[in-house]
Amino acid sequence: MTGTVGLVGVKDKQIEEFVRLAGMRPLMLQAEDLASARGALSATPDVVVVDVRADRNLLTIVAAIKRRHPSMGIAIVVPSLEPDLMLQAMRAGVTECVAEPLTQGTLEAAISRVMVQRAAPVEGRVFAVIGAKGGVGATTIAVNLAEAIARTAGDALLVDLNVSTGDAAVFLGVDPRFTIVDALENTPRLDEAFFRSLVAHTPSGLDLLGSSVRMLAGPVEPQRVRTLIDFAVRYYRAVVLDVPRGDPSALDALEAASSIFVVVNHELPTLSSAYRVVSRLRQKYGSDRISLLVNRSDRHSDISISDIEKAVNAKVKHVFPSEYKRALAAANHGQPLARSTDGRVAGSFHEFVRMLTGPEKPSDDTKRLFGWLNPRRSQAE
Ligand SMILES: Nc1ncnc2c1ncn2[C@@H]1O[C@H](COP(=O)(O)OP(=O)(O)OP(=O)(O)O)[C@@H](O)[C@H]1O
Ligand SMILES: [Mg+2]
């Protein structure tokens, strides 16, 4: 192997030696060099190894490094593969964990896995969210699903497919400079650098391709929407789409979606509209990927969850409680509910993401994190 390995928190001379023996150049770094905007780097490392054995707080620095360098692969050295520590590492955006006893073989294998993953785009999963009726909570769910994934996995992209009427940016408290209109107008010349310059960043690692006040010149072409989704999914662990139910160009461009969620509540007019939306989606994409999300659940409603399933002829995947004050405050402050774990709705979003992603405990292949977000490796669903 060739390349530079940044070493953070490494006091163990052996690690430097192992890196050299692997044919790579070790570069001792201060965490701040990578994590802070003021940090200066003499060379950008291909991989960063953070030794958290002496100082677990370095894991918080990992999250900051990932925010500044989203595509940088990070391996950490840990005393043992304890589930708590692994979970924390996963949330921070770590790609590989190497446990004691540390050998040249284990370190070299971890570094090469990080290098491979860095070279290959991540191929994330695509979740589409469609409201069965106006105001049912589709954007709230799309924003918070994306936020909860980003908090768990380290990154995610939310795409507001309401090209010139969307409000996802307001829910996230950002004012994007570029928007989906810029992306759709330029699909033929999309490359990673250009694409990354179009998205707006948020503190959790969630990026947004937001709606525009500018209209697109001409109708939205489904082929362009498809190209955009296929492109985005290569660079994020997950892509969440806020899909307008009345726009055929968006509804016809969801082939890449692994799950299509139709949002309903306990109202009959919504369910009748949901039936039509689901029937149309089913004709195009089959039944397996389509399910319902019940928002603002009401246990006392005349219409039960099983009535909803019968009326719409689709399964309910998750039920979100109603919490009017918190939802309103979150929207007014541009702070998505899932940015914290306070409150029933926020808790429900994190629970939903846990359900989508499978158990959070490390699998047999304990060193390989995030298998759940990669369709080629997924065993969770
Ligand atoms: N679980 C919930 N509990 C209480 N209020 C909620 C909940 N989910 C959403 N809301 C509130 O409902 C309103 C509509 O939500 P949202 O904008 O997400 O709906 P939408 O389906 O995207 O609407 P549109 O059709 O305009 O796109 C917002 O004020 C939001 O704060
Ligand atoms: Mg909306």
Side-chain angles (χ1 to χ4, degrees):
M1 277 192 293
T2 53
T4 304
V5 179
L7 301 177
V8 176
V10 172
K11 303 205 171 60
D12 182 348
K13 283 277 168 215
Q14 235 190 356
I15 292 185
E16 250 186 279
E17 193 50 34
F18 288 159
V19 169
R20 275 203 196 90
L21 284 172
M24 302 189 76
R25 189 165 75 91
L27 182 67
M28 296 302 276
L29 293 171
Q30 297 300 315
E32 296 70 36
D33 296 336
L34 288 161
S36 123
R38 290 184 303 279
L41 288 173
S42 56
T44 306
D46 299 284
V47 176
V48 171
V49 174
V50 184
D51 190 343
V52 304
R53 285 176 299 178
D55 180 5
R56 273 193 183 204
N57 287 330
L58 283 175
L59 266 183
T60 54
I61 301 278
V62 170
I65 295 175
K66 286 298 280 186
R67 274 198 290 279
R68 254 203 100 204
H69 307 275
S71 56
M72 189 170 276
I74 301 181
I76 57 170
V77 182
V78 291
S80 65
L81 297 172
E82 306 159 35
D84 277 0
L85 185 58
M86 299 284 286
L87 183 57
Q88 217 188 329
M90 182 176 82
R91 290 204 163 121
V94 166
T95 323
E96 290 285 332
C97 294
V98 194
E100 285 179 340
L102 194 63
T103 64
Q104 210 255 319
T106 52
L107 188 69
E108 186 174 337
I111 290 174
S112 60
R113 281 195 298 267
V114 175
M115 296 275 277
V116 169
Q117 288 188 25
R118 187 175 170 266
V122 286
E123 285 281 353
R125 291 190 21 200
V126 181
F127 302 95
V129 182
I130 307 167
K133 223 169 184 297
V136 82
T139 302
T140 304
I141 289 181
V143 165
N144 286 288
L145 168 61
E147 175 78 18
I149 293 175
R151 284 178 61 93
T152 308
D155 73 63
L157 175 72
L158 174 65
V159 181
D160 194 341
L161 287 177
N162 300 271
V163 173
S164 47
T165 55
D167 49 9
V170 180
F171 281 77
L172 284 169
V174 292
D175 184 10
R177 212 169 130 216
F178 300 106
T179 67
I180 181 140
V181 168
D182 300 291
L184 290 173
E185 282 176 347
N186 290 289
T187 42
R189 62 181 203 91
L190 278 181
D191 63 28
E192 185 182 1
F194 175 65
F195 187 76
R196 290 203 186 274
S197 73
L198 294 182
V199 302
H201 305 293
T202 75
S204 58
L206 171 62
D207 286 352
L208 169 74
L209 193 54
S211 158
S212 175
V213 284
R214 190 160 67 82
M215 303 287 273
L216 200 66
V220 181
E221 292 168 30
Q223 189 48 47
R224 287 192 173 231
V225 180
R226 262 180 229 126
T227 305
L228 179 65
I229 298 169
D230 289 344
F231 186 84
V233 77
R234 295 166 58 198
Y235 299 102
Y236 290 88
R237 295 194 187 279
V239 176
V240 178
L241 309 170
D242 184 356
V243 185
R245 106 197 126 269
D247 181 352
S249 57
L251 292 176
D252 288 346
L254 304 179
E255 282 91 351
S258 25
S259 302
I260 302 176
F261 300 123
V262 176
V263 183
V264 298
N265 56 19
H266 294 263
E267 289 167 18
L268 207 51
T270 310
L271 299 181
S272 130
S273 174
Y275 180 81
R276 287 192 297 275
V277 173
V278 167
S279 303
R280 177 183 173 155
L281 291 167
R282 189 177 283 129
Q283 275 170 17
K284 194 155 170 62
Y285 306 111
S287 298
D288 293 355
R289 304 188 237 179
I290 302 168
S291 58
L292 304 178
L293 300 176
V294 179
N295 192 26
R296 290 201 204 106
S297 121
D298 177 1
R299 264 185 295 151
H300 305 294
S301 167
D302 293 342
I303 302 176
S304 69
I305 297 297
S306 93
D307 294 335
I308 292 176
E309 291 186 328
K310 279 192 209 118
V312 183
N313 189 21
K315 284 272 168 229
V316 170
K317 185 92 170 177
H318 197 72
V319 177
F320 298 98
S322 184
E323 225 174 18
Y324 177 73
K325 278 198 182 146
R326 276 191 200 267
L328 186 69
N332 287 347
H333 290 106
Q335 293 276 347
L337 290 154
R339 200 162 279 175
S340 81
T341 46
D342 299 340
R344 287 181 304 130
V345 184
S348 191
F349 278 109
H350 291 291
E351 189 191 318
F352 180 46
V353 167
R354 278 197 294 276
M355 186 183 79
L356 290 176
T357 59
E360 277 181 341
K361 64 177 176 8
S363 65
D364 277 355
D365 186 2
T366 26
K367 290 175 191 149
R368 191 158 290 297
L369 302 177
F370 306 128
W372 60 272
L373 274 178
N374 188 326
R376 287 172 306 193
R377 294 192 217 121
S378 173
Q379 295 151 7
E381 276 198 333

